[in-house]
Amino acid sequence: MAPTPTDALGAPGIPARWTSSAKSGVGTALSPACPIWFTISHGILNEVYYPGLDSACTRDMGLVVTGPGGYFSEEKRDAVHSVEPFEDGVPAYRLVNTAADGTYRIEKRIVTDPERPALLQEISFTLLTGAVADHRVYALLAPHLVNAGMANTAWVADYEGKTVLFASGRGVCLALASSLPWGACSAGYVGVSDGWQQLRRGGRLDPACRRAEDGNVALTGEIGFSPSTTKALLALGFGTTPQEAAENASASLKRGFAPAAKSYAEKWRDWQASLLPLDRHIAGINTYRVSTAVLATHRSSDGAAVASLSIPWGFSMGDDDLGGYHLVWPRDLVETAGGFLAAGDPAQALEILAYLRSIQQPDGHWPQNAWLDGSAYWRGIQMDECAFPLLLADALRRAGHLPCARLLAFMPMVERAASYVVRNGPVTGEDRWEEDAGYSPFTLAVEIAALLAAADMFEICDKREPANYLRETADVWNDQIERWTYVAGTSLCEEVGIEGYYVRIAPPDTAGAASPKDGYVPIKNRPPGDADRPAEAIVSPDALALVRFGLRAADDPRIVDTVKVIDARLRCDLPQGPVWYRYTGDGYGEHADGAPFDGTGQGRPWPLLVGERAHYELAAGRKDKAASLLKTFEGSAGPSGLMPEQVWDGLDMPERELRHGGPSGSAMPLVWAHSEHIKLLRSLSDGAVFDMPPQSVKRYIEDGTVAPRRTWRFNHKVRTMPAGKMLRIELLARAVVHWSSDAWATIHDAATIENAFGIHLTDLPVADVPPGNMIVFTFFWPDAGRWENVDFSVGIDKLD
């Protein structure tokens, strides 16, 4: 049966794909009336998000120019692009796309309408050679409604007597309207009957293609330019119905570009003026205002912020990559709040803290990452993400933005989080790179600093006993960082000429305390058979967190030696300066030939780590070196100042858009990197690391506090402990500890006491038991009326 005159052929189209993650601009109106966020790359609009930061609704929208003799030119591929903001700190953009063959120039100005969910593009078309009447300009729009390129429907219809291009999917609709009358229009299936295919093959649109249902669809419309009319305004409206979307587009067209742009810029200008003056101008770019704008464009009115408005290697990713980076990572969110705080906007940081409170899970942890409504996407447990919100709350308290009365409103969140960390740490289910379980120096540093911060907040609220317990636990964990994560006498030590170093992560050992020399770490994103490496063979800049969070001094010989290993193994000298890899053998990045990451690859250098290294240098008193690294950090940005997740360390590959030292195909911008940039500017201005927690510095570096005990738990069975310390037994139910230090010749019973965190504990007085002896114990469970019927043991070693 032949299709009807309004049906496009080729359903459902080719498999859907996203677009480049290398953004040159991101923007949004600072107005709750306009829940739209947009991105720009290659001279055109890319993903537009509506009604939330986690809902991408388009792939891209660009222009095609046709002319005599089969002339066909697509601006994103066949033109030279330039982009600049309206002014410093205002993420509205002027784009100029000049055809590489010199035929035309397209100028655009892009903003969102602060009064409604609509995006405006003011487009000027200038023909540089030939006659205007012989050329036509078409808008091509690829709807990907609510994070999916498939199962969308597109059609051409009238609204209030004017042609409008529509699309719908998953409860969201969009409408594209033009101030100039549309000429020929079409709706088709991508790769088969879409407007690009029609124009490329025959130079015209098929008037029969007016609707494409349930597929990977595209909309195309001829903009009515003429020799006397070379400027048009396109409005992309959104809504829950086609009529609502069309009404929003129509209303923005009627209002016009100038009023919307004026209001948009004023709101941004006023906000930027309220921030601390940390401005830096590099090659015509105010890097500070770029970073502050990036933070604010990635936030929603409820306090949420996503990691990036991009999908890494998006041009190779389909609908199965639902999240991209437009998800909430609690760690990245706290880093974002820290950036706002460093820039002088505590109100944004407080809103983020309130949002974190709203998505905290009943047991006290936070999802590994989540949609804006708090529903988990990945379901791993990262203990740094469970601890970071405690550091944010305390930073706000110490800065005077969370006085006692207001702190009380957040104490239930603090109590649940502290309880979760103290009951489930120190081992993490995944490290900060979403990968391996075990003892991570970075995670340990965050956990310990967070417990001390929480203890201060408990004490302010007259909860001294739980505060003391948190500090005692922090001390026990801090004492064992080297036992868990520091190695000496390895072949790498001999090669670099050092005594020892901190490893990236030590695997958990269910039989007792893990040793970094035992077992293997499974490196993710590596080909089968090339994943497991000895823990002592893997190093990472993560160890610098021990300094950043105040647990070890910058000049501690163990830290100094670790820095030497980091530089020997992970430093990459690029045109902008040294940039570091995440860890030995990292597989998250492009392949050696530049092909996109596809589950395996080769990790590339991270500019974020330059900022972390600069903070270490500042902590070590080397401000000049930190300032030099700031230049390297900023030199790793894209042409418009946006910071990428990774930079390319190979030879130039123009065909893959990879330039030595330039952004790779990973996420850009990475909000975490921009937060680190702002914090580094603030730290250099202050002459001290802005976000270093003072509690850990005082307790461990200045006072040298040492724990008088070790702790045994079922989820953390220590096998040995130093002589001269007590042994604390911690359980999740009431028990009598039946124990002996002389092979059951003498027997002791100790009843546990429940503390404020639901932990049942008792301290065994074994400090005088000499080395070589064994503490043996079992449990009687009164509530169940039974014995454990298994003996456990802890050996006594010599003093640490």
Side-chain angles (χ1 to χ4, degrees), residues 133-198:
D134 295 333
H135 291 77
R136 289 175 169 77
V137 181
Y138 298 87
L140 276 68
L141 171 62
H144 275 220
L145 289 159
V146 193
N147 299 324
M150 303 305 293
N152 293 294
T153 294
W155 69 97
V156 182
D158 286 349
Y159 176 77
E160 295 185 343
K162 295 182 178 179
T163 300
V164 175
L165 310 182
F166 291 95
S168 66
R170 286 157 290 280
V172 171
C173 298
L174 62 77
L176 180 61
S178 173
S179 62
L180 298 180
W182 290 112
C185 297
S186 81
Y189 294 103
V190 174
V192 184
S193 57
D194 64 276
W196 190 96
Q197 296 289 336
Q198 295 175 31

Side-chain angles (χ1 to χ4, degrees), residues 68-431:
Y71 182 81
F72 178 94
S73 179
E74 187 176 11
E75 61 172 342
K76 72 177 179 182
R77 290 187 175 93
D78 303 322
V80 178
H81 316 298
S82 70
V83 57
E84 63 179 12
F86 281 13
E87 58 188 84
D88 285 350
V90 177
Y93 300 94
R94 298 184 184 91
L95 283 66
V96 179
N97 299 327
T98 304
D101 61 10
T103 300
Y104 61 85
R105 180 174 63 248
I106 295 169
E107 299 171 71
K108 303 177 184 177
R109 293 196 297 167
I110 301 177
V111 300
T112 55
D113 186 343
E115 293 190 356
R116 59 187 57 83
L119 180 143
L120 294 169
Q121 291 191 81
E122 183 187 70
I123 301 173
S124 297
F125 177 73
T126 302
L127 196 65
L128 303 177
T129 61
V132 172
D134 295 333
H135 291 77
R136 289 175 169 77
V137 181
Y138 298 87
L140 276 68
L141 171 62
H144 275 220
L145 289 159
V146 193
N147 299 324
M150 303 305 293
N152 293 294
T153 294
W155 69 97
V156 182
D158 286 349
Y159 176 77
E160 295 185 343
K162 295 182 178 179
T163 300
V164 175
L165 310 182
F166 291 95
S168 66
R170 286 157 290 280
V172 171
C173 298
L174 62 77
L176 180 61
S178 173
S179 62
L180 298 180
W182 290 112
C185 297
S186 81
Y189 294 103
V190 174
V192 184
S193 57
D194 64 276
W196 190 96
Q197 296 289 336
Q198 295 175 31
L199 294 171
R200 192 73 183 87
R201 288 194 299 256
R204 59 186 294 275
L205 296 180
D206 183 351
C209 293
R210 304 282 287 186
R211 186 176 184 88
E213 292 193 18
D214 193 22
N216 181 11
V217 299
L219 288 158
T220 309
E222 181 187 350
I223 303 173
F225 291 124
S226 69
S228 60
T229 308
T230 59
K231 182 178 289 187
L233 180 61
L234 301 186
L236 182 62
F238 290 88
T240 57
T241 66
Q243 182 172 348
E244 182 183 5
E247 172 56 31
N248 286 326
S250 177
S252 284
L253 283 182
K254 290 174 183 175
R255 186 186 185 204
F257 186 86
K262 182 174 184 290
S263 174
Y264 182 104
E266 284 176 349
K267 292 177 185 295
W268 275 99
R269 194 179 300 123
D270 290 346
W271 179 71
Q272 292 280 11
S274 72
L275 304 180
L276 294 175
L278 300 173
D279 300 73
R280 270 175 64 86
H281 292 85
I282 306 294
I285 296 174
N286 188 329
T287 61
Y288 172 59
R289 300 297 172 174
V290 169
S291 286
T292 54
V294 166
L295 264 60
T297 54
H298 285 75
R299 265 206 68 228
S300 63
S301 58
D302 63 358
V306 297
S308 177
L309 289 172
S310 70
I311 299 172
W313 301 283
F315 56 88
S316 67
M317 302 293 179
D319 285 1
D320 54 343
D321 191 76
L322 293 176
Y325 274 22
H326 46 274
L327 292 162
V328 176
W329 267 264
R331 174 197 51 253
D332 295 52
L333 186 53
V334 171
E335 299 284 8
T336 299
F340 280 123
L341 199 56
D345 190 348
Q348 302 263 18
L350 282 164
E351 289 181 4
I352 288 173
L353 186 65
Y355 171 79
L356 283 164
R357 178 177 58 185
S358 75
I359 68 166
Q360 186 183 29
Q361 302 301 293
D363 66 356
H365 87 281
W366 276 272
Q368 181 180 4
N369 54 23
W371 301 105
L372 264 61
D373 65 3
S375 58
Y377 182 62
W378 293 341
R379 298 186 179 274
I381 296 292
Q382 295 180 206
M383 292 302 293
D384 66 317
E385 294 195 315
C386 301
F388 259 124
L390 294 169
L391 291 174
L392 173 58
D394 189 61
L396 285 162
R397 177 194 66 81
R398 289 186 284 102
H401 307 302
L402 208 60
C404 188
R406 197 167 186 181
L407 175 61
L408 288 173
F410 285 96
M411 279 308 295
M413 181 200 83
V414 169
E415 291 170 3
R416 287 194 298 270
S419 177
Y420 188 88
V421 173
V422 83
R423 287 161 64 97
N424 293 278
V427 168
T428 184
E430 293 186 359
D431 64 346

Side-chain angles (χ1 to χ4, degrees), residues 458-792:
F458 272 82
E459 197 153 52
I460 288 169
C461 298
D462 291 325
K463 298 184 177 183
R464 291 180 175 82
E465 184 180 340
N468 288 336
Y469 174 74
L470 293 177
R471 294 187 182 111
E472 290 170 354
T473 302
D475 294 346
V476 171
W477 293 358
N478 181 66
D479 275 3
Q480 298 180 88
I481 289 174
E482 282 70 34
R483 179 180 180 86
W484 294 326
T485 68
Y486 186 80
V487 295
T490 70
S491 59
L492 185 54
C493 291
E494 183 177 355
E495 178 184 334
V496 180
I498 57 171
E499 291 187 7
Y501 54 91
Y502 294 95
V503 298
R504 173 203 167 205
I505 193 166
D509 184 349
T510 56
S515 166
K517 295 182 178 180
D518 296 337
Y520 286 75
V521 172
I523 299 179
K524 301 296 176 65
N525 308 313
R526 302 292 300 177
D530 187 32
D532 290 349
R533 307 283 176 87
E536 67 181 34
I538 308 173
V539 294
S540 170
D542 287 4
L544 298 184
L546 297 172
V547 176
R548 180 71 169 267
F549 292 97
L551 277 64
R552 299 293 181 269
D555 60 356
D556 185 310
R558 296 165 298 193
I559 294 290
V560 173
D561 279 354
T562 301
V563 169
K564 292 177 182 177
V565 172
I566 290 168
D567 286 349
R569 279 290 185 264
L570 303 175
R571 172 172 167 152
C572 179
D573 291 315
L574 295 172
Q576 63 267 37
V579 188
W580 284 265
Y581 299 99
R582 295 193 302 174
Y583 58 82
T584 315
D586 185 9
Y588 183 57
E590 284 92 348
H591 291 270
D593 63 357
F597 173 77
D598 56 3
T600 64
Q602 180 179 326
R604 307 294 167 179
W606 285 54
L608 164 70
L609 299 177
V610 179
E612 293 187 353
R613 177 60 174 267
H615 273 107
Y616 165 73
E617 297 296 343
L618 185 60
R622 295 184 285 268
K623 187 174 181 179
D624 289 349
K625 192 164 186 179
S628 175
L629 287 169
L630 170 62
K631 294 179 181 178
T632 299
F633 195 4
E634 293 170 334
S636 300
S640 57
L642 300 184
M643 296 282 189
E645 180 183 73
Q646 302 177 45
V647 289
W648 180 242
D649 54 352
L651 298 175
D652 289 355
M653 293 186 179
E655 70 281 7
R656 293 192 182 274
E657 300 185 356
L658 294 171
R659 175 181 57 84
H660 187 61
S664 75
S666 59
M668 187 169 80
L670 185 67
V671 181
W672 184 2
H674 283 279
S675 299
E676 182 72 4
H677 176 242
I678 294 168
K679 285 191 278 189
L680 181 55
L681 291 173
R682 175 67 182 271
S683 296
L684 286 167
S685 175
D686 292 351
V689 177
F690 171 73
D691 57 359
M692 183 180 289
Q695 297 96 332
S696 45
V697 174
K698 177 73 168 61
R699 195 168 185 88
Y700 301 130
I701 296 177
E702 296 177 5
D703 295 347
T705 301
V706 176
R709 61 179 56 82
R710 287 291 182 264
T711 300
W712 185 99
R713 299 174 173 177
F714 274 99
N715 68 339
H716 187 60
K717 302 184 186 82
V718 295
R719 288 179 297 186
T720 62
M721 59 179 284
K725 295 185 183 292
M726 292 182 290
L727 176 62
R728 172 168 285 179
I729 305 296
E730 295 188 343
L731 307 167
L732 297 181
R734 187 165 67 100
V736 174
V737 182
H738 190 67
W739 68 279
S740 174
S741 60
D742 54 9
W744 298 117
T746 306
I747 297 174
H748 311 273
D749 287 324
T752 61
I753 298 173
E754 184 177 8
N755 70 7
F757 301 103
I759 295 173
H760 300 257
L761 59 87
T762 187
D763 285 330
L764 306 186
V766 298
D768 59 349
V769 176
N773 283 32
M774 188 79 69
I775 311 300
V776 184
F777 53 93
T778 188
F779 308 107
F780 177 73
W781 307 100
D783 295 336
R786 66 174 181 85
W787 286 89
E788 181 67 21
N789 290 324
V790 175
D791 286 350
F792 303 95

